PDB file of all heavy atoms in Angstrom:
ATOM      1  N   PRO A1081     -35.512 -47.829  23.670  1.00  0.00           N
ATOM      2  CA  PRO A1081     -34.378 -46.911  23.920  1.00  0.00           C
ATOM      3  C   PRO A1081     -33.607 -46.611  22.631  1.00  0.00           C
ATOM      4  O   PRO A1081     -33.120 -45.488  22.443  1.00  0.00           O
ATOM      5  CB  PRO A1081     -33.526 -47.660  24.955  1.00  0.00           C
ATOM      6  CG  PRO A1081     -34.470 -48.571  25.618  1.00  0.00           C
ATOM      7  CD  PRO A1081     -35.457 -48.983  24.572  1.00  0.00           C
ATOM      8  N   CYS A1082     -33.429 -47.628  21.790  1.00  0.00           N
ATOM      9  CA  CYS A1082     -32.686 -47.432  20.512  1.00  0.00           C
ATOM     10  C   CYS A1082     -33.397 -46.445  19.646  1.00  0.00           C
ATOM     11  O   CYS A1082     -32.810 -45.491  19.095  1.00  0.00           O
ATOM     12  CB  CYS A1082     -32.557 -48.802  19.826  1.00  0.00           C
ATOM     13  SG  CYS A1082     -31.950 -48.693  18.104  1.00  0.00           S
ATOM     14  N   GLU A1098     -35.575 -40.198   8.210  1.00  0.00           N
ATOM     15  CA  GLU A1098     -36.591 -41.257   8.433  1.00  0.00           C
ATOM     16  C   GLU A1098     -35.913 -42.451   9.110  1.00  0.00           C
ATOM     17  O   GLU A1098     -34.723 -42.721   8.884  1.00  0.00           O
ATOM     18  CB  GLU A1098     -37.243 -41.686   7.105  1.00  0.00           C
ATOM     19  CG  GLU A1098     -36.260 -42.265   6.110  1.00  0.00           C
ATOM     20  CD  GLU A1098     -36.919 -42.649   4.803  1.00  0.00           C
ATOM     21  OE1 GLU A1098     -38.132 -42.641   4.713  1.00  0.00           O
ATOM     22  OE2 GLU A1098     -36.154 -43.012   3.866  1.00  0.00           O
ATOM     23  N   ALA A1108     -44.447 -57.175  12.637  1.00  0.00           N
ATOM     24  CA  ALA A1108     -44.747 -55.865  12.056  1.00  0.00           C
ATOM     25  C   ALA A1108     -46.192 -55.447  12.309  1.00  0.00           C
ATOM     26  O   ALA A1108     -46.522 -54.252  12.361  1.00  0.00           O
ATOM     27  CB  ALA A1108     -44.438 -55.873  10.597  1.00  0.00           C
ATOM     28  N   LEU A1112     -46.047 -50.718  18.428  1.00  0.00           N
ATOM     29  CA  LEU A1112     -45.049 -50.452  19.448  1.00  0.00           C
ATOM     30  C   LEU A1112     -45.675 -49.673  20.633  1.00  0.00           C
ATOM     31  O   LEU A1112     -46.651 -48.975  20.425  1.00  0.00           O
ATOM     32  CB  LEU A1112     -43.908 -49.576  18.855  1.00  0.00           C
ATOM     33  CG  LEU A1112     -43.054 -50.264  17.770  1.00  0.00           C
ATOM     34  CD1 LEU A1112     -42.153 -49.211  17.104  1.00  0.00           C
ATOM     35  CD2 LEU A1112     -42.219 -51.361  18.353  1.00  0.00           C
ATOM     36  N   PHE A1116     -42.826 -42.661  17.398  1.00  0.00           N
ATOM     37  CA  PHE A1116     -41.689 -41.786  17.153  1.00  0.00           C
ATOM     38  C   PHE A1116     -41.825 -41.111  15.801  1.00  0.00           C
ATOM     39  O   PHE A1116     -42.251 -41.760  14.828  1.00  0.00           O
ATOM     40  CB  PHE A1116     -40.386 -42.603  17.136  1.00  0.00           C
ATOM     41  CG  PHE A1116     -40.052 -43.298  18.418  1.00  0.00           C
ATOM     42  CD1 PHE A1116     -40.470 -44.599  18.671  1.00  0.00           C
ATOM     43  CD2 PHE A1116     -39.403 -42.627  19.454  1.00  0.00           C
ATOM     44  CE1 PHE A1116     -40.183 -45.184  19.889  1.00  0.00           C
ATOM     45  CE2 PHE A1116     -39.126 -43.229  20.669  1.00  0.00           C
ATOM     46  CZ  PHE A1116     -39.535 -44.519  20.859  1.00  0.00           C
ATOM     47  N   LYS A1132     -31.052 -61.283   8.463  1.00  0.00           N
ATOM     48  CA  LYS A1132     -30.814 -59.872   8.595  1.00  0.00           C
ATOM     49  C   LYS A1132     -30.603 -59.203   7.260  1.00  0.00           C
ATOM     50  O   LYS A1132     -31.030 -58.062   7.012  1.00  0.00           O
ATOM     51  CB  LYS A1132     -29.630 -59.631   9.522  1.00  0.00           C
ATOM     52  CG  LYS A1132     -29.296 -58.155   9.768  1.00  0.00           C
ATOM     53  CD  LYS A1132     -28.075 -58.055  10.677  1.00  0.00           C
ATOM     54  CE  LYS A1132     -27.619 -56.633  10.839  1.00  0.00           C
ATOM     55  NZ  LYS A1132     -26.412 -56.512  11.753  1.00  0.00           N
ATOM     56  N   ALA A1140     -33.415 -50.686   2.506  1.00  0.00           N
ATOM     57  CA  ALA A1140     -32.715 -49.883   1.529  1.00  0.00           C
ATOM     58  C   ALA A1140     -33.615 -49.541   0.339  1.00  0.00           C
ATOM     59  O   ALA A1140     -33.612 -48.452  -0.209  1.00  0.00           O
ATOM     60  CB  ALA A1140     -31.431 -50.545   1.065  1.00  0.00           C
ATOM     61  N   TYR A1161     -25.019 -38.347  16.335  1.00  0.00           N
ATOM     62  CA  TYR A1161     -24.705 -39.528  15.536  1.00  0.00           C
ATOM     63  C   TYR A1161     -25.111 -39.374  14.014  1.00  0.00           C
ATOM     64  O   TYR A1161     -24.265 -39.595  13.118  1.00  0.00           O
ATOM     65  CB  TYR A1161     -25.447 -40.713  16.124  1.00  0.00           C
ATOM     66  CG  TYR A1161     -25.330 -42.018  15.440  1.00  0.00           C
ATOM     67  CD1 TYR A1161     -24.125 -42.705  15.317  1.00  0.00           C
ATOM     68  CD2 TYR A1161     -26.427 -42.608  14.891  1.00  0.00           C
ATOM     69  CE1 TYR A1161     -24.008 -43.912  14.696  1.00  0.00           C
ATOM     70  CE2 TYR A1161     -26.383 -43.857  14.224  1.00  0.00           C
ATOM     71  CZ  TYR A1161     -25.149 -44.473  14.145  1.00  0.00           C
ATOM     72  OH  TYR A1161     -25.070 -45.706  13.511  1.00  0.00           O
ATOM     73  N   ASP A1185     -23.936 -53.920  31.312  1.00  0.00           N
ATOM     74  CA  ASP A1185     -24.182 -55.216  31.885  1.00  0.00           C
ATOM     75  C   ASP A1185     -25.721 -55.417  31.994  1.00  0.00           C
ATOM     76  O   ASP A1185     -26.512 -54.536  31.693  1.00  0.00           O
ATOM     77  CB  ASP A1185     -23.493 -55.415  33.224  1.00  0.00           C
ATOM     78  CG  ASP A1185     -24.021 -54.492  34.336  1.00  0.00           C
ATOM     79  OD1 ASP A1185     -25.076 -53.865  34.132  1.00  0.00           O
ATOM     80  OD2 ASP A1185     -23.350 -54.408  35.408  1.00  0.00           O
ATOM     81  N   ARG A1186     -26.146 -56.581  32.474  1.00  0.00           N
ATOM     82  CA  ARG A1186     -27.561 -56.905  32.473  1.00  0.00           C
ATOM     83  C   ARG A1186     -28.368 -55.969  33.383  1.00  0.00           C
ATOM     84  O   ARG A1186     -29.441 -55.497  32.985  1.00  0.00           O
ATOM     85  CB  ARG A1186     -27.753 -58.377  32.915  1.00  0.00           C
ATOM     86  CG  ARG A1186     -29.168 -58.887  32.790  1.00  0.00           C
ATOM     87  CD  ARG A1186     -29.223 -60.384  33.041  1.00  0.00           C
ATOM     88  NE  ARG A1186     -30.549 -60.915  32.763  1.00  0.00           N
ATOM     89  CZ  ARG A1186     -30.794 -62.212  32.710  1.00  0.00           C
ATOM     90  NH1 ARG A1186     -29.804 -63.094  32.937  1.00  0.00           N
ATOM     91  NH2 ARG A1186     -32.009 -62.651  32.453  1.00  0.00           N
ATOM     92  N   ARG A1191     -32.106 -51.205  33.991  1.00  0.00           N
ATOM     93  CA  ARG A1191     -32.395 -49.855  34.520  1.00  0.00           C
ATOM     94  C   ARG A1191     -32.689 -48.883  33.380  1.00  0.00           C
ATOM     95  O   ARG A1191     -33.620 -48.088  33.479  1.00  0.00           O
ATOM     96  CB  ARG A1191     -31.175 -49.356  35.320  1.00  0.00           C
ATOM     97  CG  ARG A1191     -31.387 -48.040  36.058  1.00  0.00           C
ATOM     98  CD  ARG A1191     -30.194 -47.560  36.861  1.00  0.00           C
ATOM     99  NE  ARG A1191     -29.864 -48.590  37.836  1.00  0.00           N
ATOM    100  CZ  ARG A1191     -28.606 -49.066  38.036  1.00  0.00           C
ATOM    101  NH1 ARG A1191     -27.615 -48.584  37.312  1.00  0.00           N
ATOM    102  NH2 ARG A1191     -28.377 -49.951  38.952  1.00  0.00           N
ATOM    103  N   MET A1228     -22.740 -48.938  10.038  1.00  0.00           N
ATOM    104  CA  MET A1228     -22.166 -48.404   8.810  1.00  0.00           C
ATOM    105  C   MET A1228     -23.103 -47.361   8.207  1.00  0.00           C
ATOM    106  O   MET A1228     -24.338 -47.435   8.390  1.00  0.00           O
ATOM    107  CB  MET A1228     -21.966 -49.493   7.750  1.00  0.00           C
ATOM    108  CG  MET A1228     -20.794 -50.426   8.011  1.00  0.00           C
ATOM    109  SD  MET A1228     -20.631 -51.649   6.693  1.00  0.00           S
ATOM    110  CE  MET A1228     -21.249 -53.133   7.550  1.00  0.00           C
ATOM    111  N   GLY A1239     -24.256 -54.370  -4.695  1.00  0.00           N
ATOM    112  CA  GLY A1239     -25.041 -55.605  -4.583  1.00  0.00           C
ATOM    113  C   GLY A1239     -25.876 -55.759  -3.335  1.00  0.00           C
ATOM    114  O   GLY A1239     -26.519 -56.808  -3.137  1.00  0.00           O
ATOM    115  N   ARG A1262     -14.964 -49.125  -2.545  1.00  0.00           N
ATOM    116  CA  ARG A1262     -15.298 -47.756  -2.820  1.00  0.00           C
ATOM    117  C   ARG A1262     -14.649 -46.850  -1.788  1.00  0.00           C
ATOM    118  O   ARG A1262     -13.982 -47.312  -0.875  1.00  0.00           O
ATOM    119  CB  ARG A1262     -16.849 -47.589  -2.731  1.00  0.00           C
ATOM    120  CG  ARG A1262     -17.630 -48.656  -3.453  1.00  0.00           C
ATOM    121  CD  ARG A1262     -17.342 -48.703  -4.955  1.00  0.00           C
ATOM    122  NE  ARG A1262     -18.049 -47.625  -5.654  1.00  0.00           N
ATOM    123  CZ  ARG A1262     -19.180 -47.823  -6.322  1.00  0.00           C
ATOM    124  NH1 ARG A1262     -19.775 -48.980  -6.341  1.00  0.00           N
ATOM    125  NH2 ARG A1262     -19.753 -46.779  -6.925  1.00  0.00           N
ATOM    126  N   LEU A1272     -21.152 -45.368  21.174  1.00  0.00           N
ATOM    127  CA  LEU A1272     -22.481 -46.038  21.178  1.00  0.00           C
ATOM    128  C   LEU A1272     -22.572 -46.888  22.438  1.00  0.00           C
ATOM    129  O   LEU A1272     -21.566 -47.364  22.963  1.00  0.00           O
ATOM    130  CB  LEU A1272     -22.650 -46.901  19.932  1.00  0.00           C
ATOM    131  CG  LEU A1272     -22.680 -46.129  18.600  1.00  0.00           C
ATOM    132  CD1 LEU A1272     -21.873 -46.852  17.552  1.00  0.00           C
ATOM    133  CD2 LEU A1272     -24.114 -45.958  18.139  1.00  0.00           C
ATOM    134  N   GLY A1286     -20.918 -70.502  18.927  1.00  0.00           N
ATOM    135  CA  GLY A1286     -19.624 -70.230  18.341  1.00  0.00           C
ATOM    136  C   GLY A1286     -19.604 -70.396  16.854  1.00  0.00           C
ATOM    137  O   GLY A1286     -18.542 -70.233  16.198  1.00  0.00           O
ATOM    138  N   ASP A1287     -20.764 -70.719  16.244  1.00  0.00           N
ATOM    139  CA  ASP A1287     -20.777 -70.911  14.791  1.00  0.00           C
ATOM    140  C   ASP A1287     -20.531 -69.632  14.035  1.00  0.00           C
ATOM    141  O   ASP A1287     -19.591 -69.568  13.244  1.00  0.00           O
ATOM    142  CB  ASP A1287     -22.182 -71.452  14.452  1.00  0.00           C
ATOM    143  CG  ASP A1287     -22.363 -71.719  12.912  1.00  0.00           C
ATOM    144  OD1 ASP A1287     -22.063 -70.848  12.146  1.00  0.00           O
ATOM    145  OD2 ASP A1287     -22.780 -72.856  12.593  1.00  0.00           O
ATOM    146  N   ARG A1304     -17.861 -61.151  -6.335  1.00  0.00           N
ATOM    147  CA  ARG A1304     -19.055 -61.264  -5.469  1.00  0.00           C
ATOM    148  C   ARG A1304     -20.050 -60.184  -5.849  1.00  0.00           C
ATOM    149  O   ARG A1304     -21.283 -60.420  -5.858  1.00  0.00           O
ATOM    150  CB  ARG A1304     -18.658 -61.182  -4.006  1.00  0.00           C
ATOM    151  CG  ARG A1304     -18.151 -62.478  -3.437  1.00  0.00           C
ATOM    152  CD  ARG A1304     -17.768 -62.357  -1.975  1.00  0.00           C
ATOM    153  NE  ARG A1304     -16.459 -61.768  -1.817  1.00  0.00           N
ATOM    154  CZ  ARG A1304     -16.185 -60.753  -0.995  1.00  0.00           C
ATOM    155  NH1 ARG A1304     -17.091 -60.180  -0.293  1.00  0.00           N
ATOM    156  NH2 ARG A1304     -14.911 -60.284  -0.895  1.00  0.00           N
TER     157      ARG A1304
END
Side-chain angles (χ1 to χ4, degrees):
C1082 169
E1098 60 181 353
L1112 294 169
F1116 298 94
K1132 179 180 175 182
Y1161 177 67
D1185 68 11
R1186 187 171 188 171
R1191 186 179 302 131
M1228 285 181 254
R1262 315 299 282 262
L1272 295 137
D1287 181 308
R1304 279 180 279 130

